[in-house]
Amino acid sequence: MKLSLIRTYSCNIFPIFHKPKTQSLSLCARSRRPICPSSLKPKTPLFLRPSNYSASLSDLKKWHDWAKTLSSSIGSSFVDSDNGPDSSLLFRELNWLIEDSLEDRSLIPQLGIQDNSTNVRLRVDIDDLYSLWKQRIEERKPFQYIVGCEHWRDLVLSVEEGVFIPRPETELLIDSVSDVVSNNEELRQGLWVDLGTGSGAIAIGIGRILGSRGRVIAIDLNPLAASVAAFNVQRHGLQDVIEVRQGSWFEPLKDIEIEEKLSGVISNPPYIPSDDIPGLQAEVRTHEPRLALDGGLDGMDDLLYLCNRTASLLKPGGFFAFETNGEKQCKFLVDYLENVAAGSFCNVKIVSDFAGIPRFVTGFHQ
């Protein structure tokens, strides 16, 4: 995952059929629904909230003009500071915020009309719109946390502060799983795990590929992330395929039968070297959970742990795919798997991301 929040944001309505994640093959006797491991209740994304508020178009235009002026004042200062958003991106985000806030988007063109007293229905109070945009600019709060969702692949996923925001390049992990199971029905029908699931993005992507033939368990140490992931699983109708469990890495899998080894282990773990975190975008270093970012001194702590444990839990021919910080970590990981863990894995390779940067290490258990 490249830790930039500058992205292309789709404004499509959240489809009813979008699905969540995580459940396992050993759950025949268990209730087939995502486990929400804590009492934490995820926040509802803005565009899914009822339109309980109203304001005149004139007042909405006043807010919009204020927000545009504030955004324009940024210029390229955030870019120059830490590769953050410039004014043009902030303008686009402002338009997306209006779209998510309005009950009737067809009224947006009327924002250009002066002194329009027409009342419109809103999903958020107009005073809160001022507060939200101040948070975006003055606190550098990620836009995804402002509106409560992220568009990822063809999904719209609930996210909130305290839960890692999925990045576009991580979508390639789903493509790698799709390629593997397209020619291997045994793996398709097996048990997969998404370690460090965050919003549940990877597990949901895998679950949609496996369909009813396989199972996914999504695991996260963060109780809020596990709750949000479970919400997303239910939202996307995948509760019969995916189960969400809270815990550290493989620990929540202790009840899995020893003979039922895993078909796949997929993870986008923390891999940023600790000393690099202060240099990240303010949106990332200040607001996203450090638990999902910090990979230790060289960023390899969790990656090496996952490699060592994966060797003992994958079935013969089982697939793994891990995201890394880039070429240096990829090469180190491949060398480790081929030498230190010699004999455990085969067909280990490096896969590049959309920008051509070496990003993923994949392979199979011997």
Side-chain angles (χ1 to χ4, degrees):
M1 81 198 164
K2 293 175 297 185
L3 290 175
S4 169
L5 288 178
I6 297 177
R7 60 187 175 82
T8 301
Y9 186 96
S10 167
C11 297
N12 296 331
I13 299 294
F14 195 27
I16 295 175
F17 59 83
H18 279 334
K19 333 166 186 175
K21 63 190 204 143
T22 97
Q23 182 174 59
S24 95
L25 267 182
S26 64
L27 302 177
C28 305
R30 299 171 65 97
S31 174
R32 285 195 169 184
R33 56 180 179 171
I35 294 175
C36 197
S38 78
S39 60
L40 295 173
K41 184 178 181 180
K43 296 178 181 177
T44 302
L46 177 58
F47 76 97
L48 291 177
R49 298 175 196 171
S51 302
N52 291 336
Y53 305 91
S54 65
S56 69
L57 277 172
S58 179
D59 285 341
L60 191 60
K61 181 182 186 314
K62 181 180 177 181
W63 165 79
H64 186 239
D65 290 345
W66 166 84
K68 284 176 64 178
T69 300
L70 187 59
S71 304
S72 181
S73 70
I74 300 306
S76 63
S77 61
F78 291 168
V79 177
D80 298 337
S81 170
D82 56 19
N83 197 34
D86 61 10
S87 288
S88 62
L89 176 59
L90 292 171
F91 291 152
R92 293 200 298 275
E93 291 181 352
L94 183 58
N95 290 335
W96 298 328
L97 177 56
I98 293 173
E99 290 182 350
D100 280 3
S101 301
L102 271 172
E103 180 182 63
D104 184 358
R105 296 181 181 183
S106 68
L107 295 173
I108 291 176
Q110 295 189 38
L111 284 176
I113 302 174
Q114 293 289 341
D115 301 322
N116 192 330
S117 60
T118 302
N119 273 341
V120 295
R121 302 297 301 174
L122 297 171
R123 296 184 174 89
V124 60
D125 186 77
I126 195 161
D127 289 339
D128 290 333
L129 283 176
Y130 281 96
S131 176
L132 287 172
W133 201 246
K134 272 188 163 184
Q135 291 175 45
R136 178 67 187 108
I137 304 300
E138 296 176 5
E139 300 176 22
R140 299 283 298 275
K141 188 172 184 176
F143 181 72
Q144 293 89 338
Y145 293 158
I146 297 292
V147 295
C149 68
E150 168 66 312
H151 293 244
W152 190 82
R153 286 179 79 86
D154 57 345
L155 307 171
V156 183
L157 300 168
S158 172
V159 293
E160 61 183 87
E161 189 144 7
V163 178
F164 182 75
I165 301 167
R167 269 47 173 197
E169 59 269 19
T170 303
E171 297 176 10
L172 291 172
L173 287 174
I174 311 305
D175 294 337
S176 69
V177 173
S178 180
D179 291 343
V180 166
V181 302
S182 64
N183 297 312
N184 192 318
E185 193 62 24
E186 181 183 354
L187 290 185
R188 183 189 293 273
Q189 294 177 6
L191 172 61
W192 293 69
V193 294
D194 168 20
L195 298 169
T197 194
S199 66
I202 293 173
I204 292 171
I206 296 172
R208 297 175 78 199
I209 290 170
L210 300 182
S212 60
R213 288 171 283 185
R215 295 289 180 267
V216 184
I217 297 179
I219 296 170
D220 206 290
L221 181 61
N222 178 355
L224 177 59
S227 294
V228 168
F231 174 86
N232 283 325
V233 169
Q234 290 176 321
R235 178 68 188 159
H236 290 80
L238 286 174
Q239 53 266 46
D240 287 342
V241 177
I242 301 169
E243 178 187 356
V244 179
R245 297 185 179 187
Q246 183 191 346
S248 178
W249 300 127
F250 295 96
E251 186 272 333
L253 299 177
K254 287 180 178 178
D255 64 328
I256 301 299
E257 297 292 338
I258 192 71
E259 64 271 13
E260 187 191 354
K261 293 212 169 183
L262 303 174
S263 289
V265 175
I266 311 297
S267 183
N268 177 17
Y271 55 62
I272 303 301
S274 301
D275 290 344
D276 290 351
I277 295 205
L280 300 175
Q281 278 183 3
E283 285 84 353
V284 180
R285 69 174 184 266
T286 305
H287 295 278
E288 292 203 73
R290 186 159 184 142
L291 182 68
L293 302 172
D294 194 338
L297 185 62
D298 57 3
M300 296 295 297
D301 288 1
D302 295 300
L303 281 164
L304 291 176
Y305 174 80
L306 293 178
C307 288
N308 292 331
R309 289 301 311 277
T310 294
S312 63
L313 292 171
L314 268 183
K315 65 170 60 177
F319 178 73
F320 74 88
F322 301 140
E323 186 169 326
T324 78
N325 197 27
E327 184 174 12
K328 184 177 179 180
Q329 286 188 357
C330 280
K331 289 183 174 179
F332 183 94
L333 213 55
V334 169
D335 180 71
Y336 182 86
L337 292 171
E338 291 180 341
N339 293 289
V340 179
S344 296
F345 300 100
C346 62
N347 298 328
V348 176
K349 64 179 182 178
I350 295 172
V351 178
S352 295
D353 63 18
F354 296 121
I357 298 171
R359 181 68 58 189
F360 312 94
V361 174
T362 68
F364 296 85
H365 192 235
Q366 290 276 40

